[in-house]
Amino acid sequence: MNLSSFDWIVIGLYFLFNLTGSNLRHSHVWLSYGPSVSKWLVSPAMHQCHHSRAVRHHDKNFGEVFAVWDRMFGTLYVPEAPEALEFGLADGKGNALPQPHDGVVAALFGPFRASLGALSSAFTRRPQ
């Protein structure tokens, strides 16, 4: 497969976008694309707001790459300046909720353990 110069430019831009954008979404590095570009592309700052406990951020910024979907459905939130964010689960008033898992391993494997336990008990029910 022969790639043209244009192909390499597109690949390079996509690589840079992922390097500076996608990989920083779940970090504490605040990177905004500014109000003009953020109407079209989801910046790491916008995605971080999606994970915020603040009520003003609830149900906002569901898009991963393109912000057009959030614009269409009224869920777009573009921060005007860096915001101090607290991440995690919250109730409708922004109060922190207890985390269902106490660590990464429990978060990754706990649901499988619970599912296997539920299946096991479903198949080992005693006749009445």
Side-chain angles (χ1 to χ4, degrees):
M1 167 159 75
N2 294 329
L3 297 177
S4 69
S5 297
F6 178 76
D7 293 330
W8 283 111
I9 290 170
V10 170
I11 290 169
L13 290 173
Y14 182 73
F15 175 78
L16 286 174
F17 174 78
N18 280 320
L19 181 68
T20 61
S22 297
N23 292 327
L24 295 176
R25 283 196 173 100
H26 291 112
S27 74
H28 287 73
V29 176
W30 185 271
L31 176 64
S32 174
Y33 297 155
S36 299
V37 176
S38 293
K39 290 180 182 177
W40 299 101
L41 296 175
V42 176
S43 72
M46 292 167 60
H47 189 74
Q48 290 166 9
C49 288
H50 167 79
H51 289 284
S52 167
R53 290 194 322 224
V55 175
R56 70 182 177 280
H57 299 146
H58 287 188
D59 299 324
K60 301 293 182 189
N61 298 345
F62 291 102
E64 184 176 328
V65 175
F66 298 109
V68 66
W69 306 112
D70 286 306
R71 285 176 55 203
M72 276 184 3
F73 294 105
T75 57
L76 182 66
Y77 178 84
V78 179
E80 295 178 9
E83 300 182 20
L85 303 174
E86 292 183 23
F87 301 111
L89 301 176
D91 63 15
K93 295 179 182 179
N95 300 315
L97 294 175
Q99 301 296 314
H101 306 289
D102 60 0
V104 174
V105 173
L108 292 174
F109 295 106
F112 291 103
R113 190 178 313 122
S115 296
L116 288 174
L119 285 171
S120 174
S121 65
F123 287 110
T124 58
R125 288 190 179 146
R126 297 178 197 153
Q128 297 182 6

